[in-house]
Amino acid sequence: MNRSHRVRTPAIVAAAAAVAMIAAGCGGSSSSSSSSSGAATASAPGITATQILIGSHQPLIGPAAPGYSEIAPAANAYFQYVNAHGGIYGRKIKYTYLDDGYDPSKTVSDVHQLILQDNVYAIFDGLGTPTHLAAVSFINSSKVPDVFVASGCDCWNDPSKYPDTFGWQLDYIREGKILGAYIKQHFADKKIGYFYQNDEFGQDGVKGLDYEIPHAQVVSRQTYVPTNVNVGPAVAALKASGAQVVVAFAIPAFNALFKLTSLKLGFNPTLVASNVGTDPITLGGLLEAYAKQGGAKVNGNQLTQGIITDGYLPTLGDTGNSWIALFKKIHDTYDAKAPFDGNVLYGEAVGYTFVQAMLKAGKNPTRADLVSALNHGLPQGPAVAPYAYSSSDHAGVTGAYIGVIKGGALVQQGPVYVTDTSPTGAVTAYTGSEQTAPATGMP
Amino acid sequence: MTLARHAGAAIAAAVVIWVLSVSLSSFRDYQIADIAVYVVAIAGLTVLIGLSGQISLGNGAFMAIGAYATALLQMHLDWPLWALFPASAAIAAVAGVAVGAAAARLHGPYLAGATLLLAVALPSFATQFPGVFGGDQGLAVSVTAPAALGAAFPLTRWLAWVNAGTALIVLVLLANLARSRIGRSWQAVRDDETAAALAGLNVARLRILAFIVSAACAGLAGSMLAVYSSQVSPGSFTVTLSIALVTGAVIGGLGSLAGALWGSLVIVLVPTYVTDVATSHGLSSTVAANIPIVAYGVVLIAVMLLFPDGIQGGLRRFFGLNPPAATGPHTRFNSLRRRQPASEHQEEGTT
Amino acid sequence: MREFIQFTLGGISFGMVYAAIALSLVLIWRGTRILNYSQGAMAMLTTYIAFTVIGHTGSYWAGFAAALAAGLLLGAVIERTVIRPVENKPPLNAVVVTIGLLVFLEGLAGIIYGGQYRSFPPAFSITGLRAGSVALGVSRNDVFVAGAVLAAALGLALLFRYTSAGLRLRAAAFNAYAARLLGVRVGRVLTLGWALAGLIGALAGVLVSPATFLYPASMDSIFVLGFTAAVIGGLDSPVGAVVGGLILGVALNYIGGYLGSNLVPVFGLAALIVILMIRPSGLFSVSTSRQV
């Protein structure tokens, strides 16, 4: 069954989403030609009659490890749940992830090991932009599916150059546009300052912001590098410029440092920040010590209160949400040592997406079947906005809602917005609805 | 003839490597290329530390220079491989002149510190000038096996051949250098700088020369790294790399070229093995990934306290290859002994 | 102008921490002629101990005291076990051993505490102080940091000048043989030197960790800059260590402010090279330069 190609207007997006939901409810039909009912066979490298072997590269130690090292175990937790409930067409998922310490040379080495020695079926959720960029050519030339890269770079959306590579999370340009549109609407007369990481993450985010926010409004642009924790000069510069709203594309540690340094300098702007750095549990944890201060006037939660950010997965605070309930249950069973925070939610959600894709690829899929399955689109799953997946678009989630951190949890404000990565593409409210989690927990 | 002996050994090794590369899996070929990179870098470093007595904690920076030189030369001028390797080594050597000249006046911890800071500071250049150096994402390097070998020739085997061949050539050259007049002059400077100067050796020039050689080797190693991993980016050249090189040199045996091989094998193969063992025993992946680090630290300390001559020294003793006059593990390093103050008042500070 | 003042005051805070690390390095260097590359890692470990104690008792000062005590103990233990065998050996051995120690301690902390960033409390409020309505860019905690390091430096100076332990330390550093002949237990004195260095390093750790968060590699960049400060000031000179730390902290803050965060290590390197070119033993060192 062929899906209609996605066209970027809300009505058709909603219709396609509805079709997808129905199709998903029917148990996911396959569009591959090699699917067949009957016995499970070793249809591709990494696939045997009983097992699907996938691999990844993750920063388990080193500067990028805090937080990110929780993602792979969380995805694995979801896979263990699936394995315990029948697996994928009877096969269990075995997930091997190698540490690359955020060193691109090590990533290349790891990927060579996974593909040449371990013969994985696919590379799943490779984490990091410079790291994955180092390996992506080799993965594609080896014709191995490279699904759901854990990075918001829009470089994964290049079907002509990297036909086997697919993004997953909301990319930074889209995120910048969504935040920018919100600022343009709600802070039209305020001075804006930027505080961003001096690499592709921050630079792409700022690109998106600049597509929406009029240049004249931006009074200061300050960068930081993760190796230098002294953000005093940058914050001082922002304060001196008179910025009333600061937009931050920063990792949690640097959002926390921004807040603390602002306190020291007596600077109190409204903070609008990328979701990369605003998981309330992580951020709260970093500021926790300031809540324990006897007699001091600052309090951990106070510092995160009122931060405006975005989200493309249901918020952790929304305990009534079916996805949160499902993922919490799985976390408590299979990954209980980790805190149930944004990284764990990310890991489980992307794991769920992989299972969706595999089910769609067919009972005895080849590597090409997985790629083809994604090229024909994927149902929304836990994400709040649809995926862009098609044969001409390998980007993942296309939108997010704006939220505010209140009382240590993220609270959604308003609708979900969707957009594209072009300078002129509009940011529009998404009129489709979210899917609910399946009762069995399996797609 | 020394050259003939070394060349013969190299040819024998080349045959062995050829056999390995053809009979082992693709991934092992890739690992051969990986190990060869470290052999070249560590060989240069072990000559610097072991023969000329200078400590450098920043050779990772020279590797970065060589690697980026390769990427840029290929990107802008489209040079072929056989030109890229020597050119990158030469560019790194020029940097070595600059650093060596600055370092010639420094000794011991001051030199170590300056080189450490070099290793820390150099990656920032890539992100400071992203237009030239590609910033955090780095630059791509494209490598293909030559057409003469046939379209189906596995790229990994070609990489293994290129890197291993280069490493063997470098080892032959360094072995000859170590046995030559220059090598002996280095050891003289290392053993007693004053006496060497009195004997007419130009101490400063020799020290700078040693730096140049080790920088050239590191630059070449960086070039090999760029080629076989087909990319360069600042994340690969952190201080961890420089420390790993020193670790490899020490574990293998300082001053010994065979030690460069042992050290490389340890650095490349042991951490993954240890992590695998740890994970298969049920330890969490983060803990398992930290265990090689703890092991590194313990091994470094243990080697220095118990086996200062490293693996090569241990092998020598095991096979009875030590010349009868050798009196123990520290003979080689008499020169690096802490100097007694020349005058009694030399070391008193102000408080 | 206000920016300039804020940069200066902000630089002093970090500069004091660099000064503390530099001071501990100088202490070890003068006693044993060894540069302790694991000084930062030792400080990180003692700060983790403080973190654990604070977590259990809820009292910051209990943790503070625990860190200082742990620093004393750790320094002494390390000197006695791992450093003693390499004290009379070539300097390379000590370099390798202390680097091995650095790697070991970081891996150990990673295994015991995990890699995630911990929030470490400051001693006093971090809200900026104001002169009237003008924010000074300095908090009560910053004043405490500066005061604590200065007190430690002063304490060390008094120890060296006016106590018999200090006299013994100086004697052993000056000429170990003669000191031994005069009845000084040189071994014990060296252990004391390392213990004191561990104490000062631990102090630096708890003072800076609120601003860097606590994780196994958190003291790495602090150590590099503290070490740069020590070399700039002269490894023989405690005064040089403090002055070097201050100058470096403030200068790098100007660089970070006016030129950008990325250039800080580059300028650190440039400063080091320039100063070592002019005075190869550091600014305040009084040892004679090497003659050939």
Side-chain angles (χ1 to χ4, degrees), chain B residues 100-303:
Chain B
R105 296 186 71 185
L106 304 177
H107 291 77
Y110 296 94
L111 176 62
T115 51
L116 179 68
L117 212 51
L118 177 70
V120 169
L122 202 74
S124 337
F125 281 101
T127 38
Q128 191 62 24
F129 303 105
V132 179
F133 297 114
D136 232 23
Q137 303 182 19
L139 302 168
V141 175
S142 86
V143 174
T144 46
L149 289 168
F153 194 80
L155 183 62
T156 47
R157 197 180 304 160
W158 170 242
L159 294 173
W161 286 7
V162 165
N163 278 8
T166 311
L168 285 174
I169 295 176
V170 168
L171 285 176
V172 167
L173 290 174
L174 284 179
N176 281 357
L177 194 61
R179 288 240 190 294
S180 72
R181 184 171 52 93
I182 295 181
R184 288 194 296 275
S185 305
W186 277 337
Q187 290 176 64
V189 168
R190 175 199 76 197
D191 286 346
D192 194 330
E193 223 174 270
T194 318
L198 287 173
L201 294 175
N202 188 330
V203 168
R205 193 134 37 107
L206 281 166
R207 289 169 62 104
I208 297 178
L209 183 62
F211 240 98
I212 295 175
V213 167
S214 100
C217 287
L220 179 59
S223 181
M224 291 157 69
L225 178 74
V227 161
Y228 96 97
S229 64
S230 36
Q231 55 83 43
V232 295
S233 60
S236 311
F237 301 105
T238 57
V239 180
T240 319
L241 175 64
S242 294
I243 293 188
L245 294 180
V246 174
T247 308
V250 167
I251 292 181
L254 277 171
S256 150
L257 291 176
L261 176 62
W262 309 135
S264 310
L265 286 170
V266 166
I267 298 184
V268 172
L269 298 176
V270 169
T272 346
Y273 175 71
V274 169
T275 310
D276 282 346
V277 168
T279 338
S280 62
H281 277 76
L283 291 170
S284 88
S285 51
T286 318
V287 172
N290 269 308
I291 291 197
I293 300 182
V294 173
Y296 254 2
V298 170
V299 165
L300 272 177
I301 298 177
V303 165

Side-chain angles (χ1 to χ4, degrees), chain A residues 66 230 233 257 263-264 285-286 289-290, chain C residues 117 119 121-122 128 142 210-211 253 257 261:
Chain A
N230 186 7
L257 286 173
L263 259 184
K264 185 152 75 149
L286 288 168
Y290 299 88
Chain C
Y117 285 32
S119 186
D142 289 334
N253 221 34
S261 232

Side-chain angles (χ1 to χ4, degrees), chain A residues 63 66-67 198 223-225 227-230 232-233 236-237 239-240 253-254 256-257 260 263-266 285-290 293 296-298, chain C residues 3 6-7 13-14 115-117 119-130 135 137-139 142 210-213 221 253 256-257 261-262 264:
Chain A
N198 191 12
T223 62
Y224 73 86
V225 288
T227 45
N228 183 2
V229 293
N230 186 7
K239 180 176 181 207
F254 282 82
L257 286 173
L260 295 173
L263 259 184
K264 185 152 75 149
L265 295 176
L286 288 168
L287 297 168
E288 188 180 35
Y290 299 88
Q293 271 283 270
K297 283 172 288 187
V298 297
Chain C
E3 229 175 41
Q6 282 178 345
F7 287 169
S13 191
F14 271 99
Q116 67 265 38
Y117 285 32
S119 186
F120 191 83
F124 295 97
S125 160
I126 56 158
T127 322
L129 297 170
R130 306 184 95 90
V138 162
S139 67
D142 289 334
T212 63
F213 306 115
S221 49
N253 221 34
S261 232
N262 202 29
V264 167

Side-chain angles (χ1 to χ4, degrees), chain C residues 181-194:
Chain C
L181 287 173
L182 289 170
V184 173
R185 306 283 288 270
V186 171
R188 294 236 183 113
V189 160
L190 294 182
T191 310
L192 176 63
W194 271 75

